[in-house]
Amino acid sequence: MADEHRVEDYLMNIGYHRLSAYIYPFYKRPKSNLAIKEGIAFEQVLTLYRFDKKLRVLLFNEMEKIEVAIRSVLANTGCQELNDRYWITKPEYFANTDKFNHTLAIIEKELSSSKEDYIEEFKRNYVESYPPAWMITEVLSFGNLNYIYSNIASNQLMKRIAGYFGLKPQVFTSWLTVLANLRNTCCHHARVWNRDFMLSPAEPRKTANVWIDTSKVDKKRVYYRLCIIRYFLSSISPNNKFNAKLMGLLADFPSIDIAAMGFCQGWEGEELWKPI
């Protein structure tokens, strides 16, 4: 990019600190010398930045579908299994009292600050201390939902909820934690494409739906998380277009090093990624 003023504008509006994460892949080795490889243009840095932005938007939009489904399945399956619409606010249904009390405090805080019409209407028209489970799950964060699920005392209920998504409870809990972390990363506009995530997802021994060969996959890279999203969507939205959207994004940015994202050779041949 020859126009230095345009470069200055980008640096001012985006910030050098944020852009530095996208400059780093273009440094010569050793990277500590901060010397950029010959022939690298600022436009290449911007291309990487734009790709990461579009990737975050794609991830966030698809995770929203999963989050909505988990809210509904958690609340409604609990009501059906326990025959109690207020089960989320009752200690007898949970294994750890301290964890339950912590969750209840969060619920009370969220309910007191909520301006949602259905919460206001419930307060005006009902004498119960708390709304039913399907209302409460709507005001809680993704992380709170996982916290509630992991503390359920009934193993049968845990299996039924996780089983709806074709998973065992241990893997379901792990994957929810991973997705909540990924969602927060996207919300804070942080770099995703080549990030080495700290959390390592639990590996399912057996799945109800199609899964991948993980023998050559780095579980701390975004590709594994893309696979988790695809897996969840296969349960809640069998005709989803996530694979087409991902393929389209990669096609729009052919210069991106997908190996740095954790993609392995032949990944597109996996049954999980075949068109529906």
Side-chain angles (χ1 to χ4, degrees), residues 66-67 70-71 140-146 176 179-180 183:
I66 298 170
E67 182 177 348
I70 289 172
R71 290 179 189 278
L140 297 177
S141 72
F142 201 179
N144 292 150
L145 298 178
N146 193 14
L176 289 195
L179 291 186
R183 183 185 183 280

Side-chain angles (χ1 to χ4, degrees), residues 51 55 192-195 218 220-224 226 246 249-250 256-263:
F51 169 76
L55 176 62
V192 167
W193 79 281
N194 68 340
R195 180 178 292 275
D218 186 345
K220 291 189 175 183
R221 293 286 173 171
V222 73
Y223 171 68
Y224 197 97
L226 290 167
L246 178 61
L249 178 60
L250 296 178
I256 300 301
D257 178 15
I258 63 172
M261 300 172 65
F263 284 83

Side-chain angles (χ1 to χ4, degrees), residues 142-199:
F142 201 179
N144 292 150
L145 298 178
N146 193 14
Y147 201 72
I148 289 172
Y149 173 80
S150 64
N151 194 31
I152 291 175
S154 169
N155 191 46
Q156 179 176 324
L157 177 55
M158 293 187 77
K159 286 182 177 179
R160 187 175 169 191
I161 292 170
Y164 182 88
F165 302 98
L167 296 168
K168 300 295 184 183
Q170 181 184 3
V171 175
F172 182 65
T173 301
S174 172
W175 285 12
L176 289 195
T177 302
V178 166
L179 291 186
N181 173 260
L182 179 60
R183 183 185 183 280
N184 290 339
T185 302
C186 292
C187 286
H188 288 90
H189 317 295
R191 174 179 51 84
V192 167
W193 79 281
N194 68 340
R195 180 178 292 275
D196 188 15
F197 292 90
M198 293 182 63
L199 296 176

Side-chain angles (χ1 to χ4, degrees), residues 1-257:
M1 187 178 294
D3 189 344
E4 292 185 5
H5 292 294
R6 288 188 65 195
V7 174
E8 290 176 0
D9 287 342
Y10 277 114
L11 290 173
M12 177 61 71
N13 294 325
I14 300 174
Y16 174 77
H17 178 71
R18 179 177 294 276
L19 277 177
S20 64
Y22 304 96
I23 298 173
Y24 189 80
F26 298 108
Y27 284 140
K28 297 177 182 177
R29 294 186 181 278
K31 302 275 189 178
S32 56
N33 290 340
L34 304 182
I36 295 179
K37 300 172 185 175
E38 288 79 8
I40 299 299
F42 187 68
E43 188 64 39
Q44 291 172 265
V45 176
L46 286 181
T47 295
L48 192 52
Y49 174 79
R50 290 172 183 139
F51 169 76
D52 197 40
K53 181 178 179 180
K54 289 181 179 293
L55 176 62
R56 288 197 303 271
V57 171
L58 173 63
L59 291 171
F60 189 83
N61 287 341
E62 299 305 315
M63 283 189 289
E64 180 185 16
K65 301 171 187 176
I66 298 170
E67 182 177 348
V68 168
I70 289 172
R71 290 179 189 278
S72 179
V73 173
L74 175 67
N76 294 326
T77 304
C79 291
Q80 294 165 5
E81 184 75 24
L82 303 171
N83 195 29
D84 188 344
R85 67 180 65 183
Y86 303 105
W87 69 274
I88 282 182
T89 52
K90 293 185 177 181
E92 58 264 33
Y93 298 124
F94 295 92
N96 185 291
T97 302
D98 289 338
K99 288 182 69 173
F100 168 78
N101 289 335
H102 177 71
T103 302
L104 190 62
I106 292 174
I107 290 173
E108 291 174 347
K109 180 181 178 181
E110 294 298 330
L111 290 175
S112 65
S113 62
S114 176
K115 302 301 180 185
E116 294 287 351
D117 291 341
Y118 59 87
I119 297 295
E120 295 293 332
E121 183 180 0
F122 178 86
K123 292 177 180 178
R124 288 194 301 267
N125 298 317
Y126 295 88
V127 298
E128 284 81 6
S129 301
Y130 303 103
W134 58 82
M135 290 188 186
I136 289 177
T137 54
E138 290 299 321
V139 301
L140 297 177
S141 72
F142 201 179
N144 292 150
L145 298 178
N146 193 14
Y147 201 72
I148 289 172
Y149 173 80
S150 64
N151 194 31
I152 291 175
S154 169
N155 191 46
Q156 179 176 324
L157 177 55
M158 293 187 77
K159 286 182 177 179
R160 187 175 169 191
I161 292 170
Y164 182 88
F165 302 98
L167 296 168
K168 300 295 184 183
Q170 181 184 3
V171 175
F172 182 65
T173 301
S174 172
W175 285 12
L176 289 195
T177 302
V178 166
L179 291 186
N181 173 260
L182 179 60
R183 183 185 183 280
N184 290 339
T185 302
C186 292
C187 286
H188 288 90
H189 317 295
R191 174 179 51 84
V192 167
W193 79 281
N194 68 340
R195 180 178 292 275
D196 188 15
F197 292 90
M198 293 182 63
L199 296 176
S200 183
E203 178 66 28
R205 295 182 180 178
K206 185 179 180 181
T207 59
N209 304 320
V210 174
W211 187 230
I212 59 171
D213 176 6
T214 59
S215 60
K216 297 180 180 179
V217 175
D218 186 345
K219 294 166 65 176
K220 291 189 175 183
R221 293 286 173 171
V222 73
Y223 171 68
Y224 197 97
R225 284 145 180 79
L226 290 167
C227 293
I228 289 176
I229 291 172
R230 174 70 169 157
Y231 185 89
F232 270 109
L233 290 174
S234 67
S235 295
I236 65 177
S237 181
N239 296 319
N240 72 86
K241 303 300 181 184
F242 180 51
N243 60 335
K245 293 175 185 177
L246 178 61
M247 299 289 187
L249 178 60
L250 296 178
D252 288 342
F253 291 86
S255 63
I256 300 301
D257 178 15

